[in-house]
Amino acid sequence: MADEVVSTAAVRRLVTAAMGPSVDVSGLERLAGGSKKGVFRLRLSDGASVVLYLWHDSENWWHTVREAESDLFSDASGLALFRQAHAQLAALGVPVPEVLFLDDAGTHLPADLALVEDLDGPSLAELLAADEAAAAPVLERLRDALRRMRSASRPSYGRVGPPSGAVTPDFPTVVLERALRHVGSAAGRDPRVAAAAGRLVDALHERATPVRPRAGHSLVHGELGPDHVRVDGRGRPVLIDIEGLMWADAEWEHAFLELRFGSHYAALRAPDLDEARLRLYRLALSISLVEGPLRLLETGFPDGPAMRRIAEHNLARALRAAGAAGPV
């Protein structure tokens, strides 16, 4: 987004409207890591700080490479999704950042926006790297939050908010069909995927075959890595980047947790997960994390090396899965 839009002067007017004329902005800092929205820390004149989320096409690197609009997973971004997800998680007692101000009318900036609390602790990824003992109780609390999310239930899968009522395939079928599309898309971008495409397709079908129908879906974050968990001053794990919250199989969440938490996943493991679903979702997730980064690399995304590392790591996982029997 252009500097003249997210300038200190523009943000000062926003903070005055949101927090009153006695509060001024002394500093504006863009925070790294986002690919779907702009995230900024606003330093305030009283020594406090808040975080500004901005949803605008110029802040969304996926805007020009999004999947079909009918895809459940396409472009999980926007203030409406944030608002619905925040309300859903807060109602379950799952910690999320306190919302201070929302605007979807373009009154203050030419974008949808939210002002939220600036959590004073590290990310869970930072805490795990610095002090595993200190991270242990945070992981236990995160496991409890995941239990709360899994205890919620809805018959149909889909985004948070009212069910659409449409007759659609079941969730594993949606995942399978998406993964098959991703194989074709990634094959056109990487010769190694093209060479293994047949094996990847066969492996996806083989893993989908034993998955049996299930009634009911629980809440899943969808991208819950340790970098999407902040630790507040009370040692609570606070979920961020929540716009992708949806009703789906808990195994979809746990396939991602396994991948992102690695050796620390044992503290989050849930009982009674369906191994057939996990095997399908592990492979589908790895293929997605090849195809998505390869598409994003075509946009000039500023942290291209990080996207390339994600694609390479998950390509190795996917190729191992397609070439050998047993779980990834």
Side-chain angles (χ1 to χ4, degrees):
M1 184 174 287
D3 290 342
E4 62 269 17
V5 177
V6 190
S7 64
T8 300
V11 171
R12 275 179 174 149
R13 293 191 292 271
L14 165 64
V15 169
T16 295
M19 308 181 74
S22 64
V23 181
D24 196 6
V25 176
S26 60
L28 173 64
E29 171 193 2
R30 179 185 286 271
L31 301 180
S35 64
K36 294 184 178 180
K37 63 178 179 288
V39 184
F40 302 83
R41 173 173 288 117
L42 311 184
R43 304 284 184 185
L44 305 180
S45 56
D46 61 3
S49 60
V50 295
V51 169
L52 170 65
Y53 294 154
L54 281 177
W55 291 276
H56 187 276
D57 284 347
S58 63
E59 295 284 357
N60 184 355
W61 289 92
W62 297 95
H63 175 61
T64 59
V65 293
R66 62 181 52 164
E67 296 181 70
E69 290 297 331
S70 60
D71 193 299
L72 171 64
F73 299 90
S74 65
D75 201 29
S77 182
L79 177 56
L81 290 175
F82 173 80
R83 181 188 282 120
Q84 292 174 337
H86 191 280
Q88 188 79 64
L89 291 169
L92 289 173
V94 175
V96 283
E98 180 186 358
V99 172
L100 306 174
F101 186 77
L102 301 173
D103 179 32
D104 60 1
T107 305
H108 306 285
L109 294 170
D112 288 352
L113 63 87
L115 284 178
V116 302
E117 69 172 317
D118 188 8
L119 297 158
D120 53 5
S123 71
L124 183 50
E126 292 167 335
L127 186 59
L128 284 166
D131 190 342
E132 291 190 10
V138 182
L139 286 169
E140 182 57 38
R141 290 179 173 182
L142 180 58
R143 183 178 182 180
D144 179 66
L146 290 165
R147 280 197 294 262
R148 290 171 184 264
M149 292 165 65
R150 191 178 178 191
S151 69
S153 180
R154 192 176 84 173
S156 57
Y157 67 83
R159 296 284 188 212
V160 292
S164 66
V167 177
T168 56
D170 61 11
F171 183 73
T173 300
V174 170
V175 171
L176 172 64
E177 291 175 349
R178 178 177 185 250
L180 293 171
R181 291 198 305 273
H182 283 175
V183 171
S185 173
R189 292 175 163 91
D190 190 297
R192 294 168 296 176
V193 181
R199 288 187 293 135
L200 289 167
V201 166
D202 289 346
L204 285 165
H205 282 296
E206 180 271 327
R207 291 179 179 218
T209 298
V211 175
R212 302 271 68 86
R214 171 193 283 169
H217 301 82
S218 60
L219 278 175
V220 304
H221 179 285
E223 293 184 340
L224 194 55
D227 55 332
H228 287 169
V229 181
R230 302 288 302 184
V231 183
D232 71 7
R234 291 182 282 169
R236 298 185 311 160
V238 181
L239 273 56
I240 62 171
D241 287 342
I242 58 176
E243 293 93 312
L245 189 77
M246 62 182 172
W247 298 95
D249 286 340
E251 289 83 1
W252 180 252
E253 186 92 283
H254 280 268
F256 196 88
L257 290 167
E258 285 180 343
L259 174 63
R260 291 303 315 282
F261 279 87
S263 62
H264 302 292
Y265 171 70
L268 304 174
R269 192 183 309 276
D272 305 323
L273 294 174
D274 179 357
E275 183 60 30
R277 276 176 165 76
L278 281 172
R279 292 189 70 239
L280 171 62
Y281 296 165
R282 287 174 185 135
L283 179 54
L285 181 61
S286 289
I287 294 170
S288 174
L289 291 173
V290 174
E291 192 271 349
L294 290 179
R295 279 191 294 130
L296 200 60
L297 283 168
E298 298 172 352
T299 69
F301 182 68
D303 196 356
M307 285 298 112
R308 176 59 66 183
R309 287 193 297 272
I310 292 170
E312 290 295 326
H313 176 74
N314 284 282
L315 177 57
R317 282 171 50 90
L319 294 179
R320 285 198 305 271
V328 179

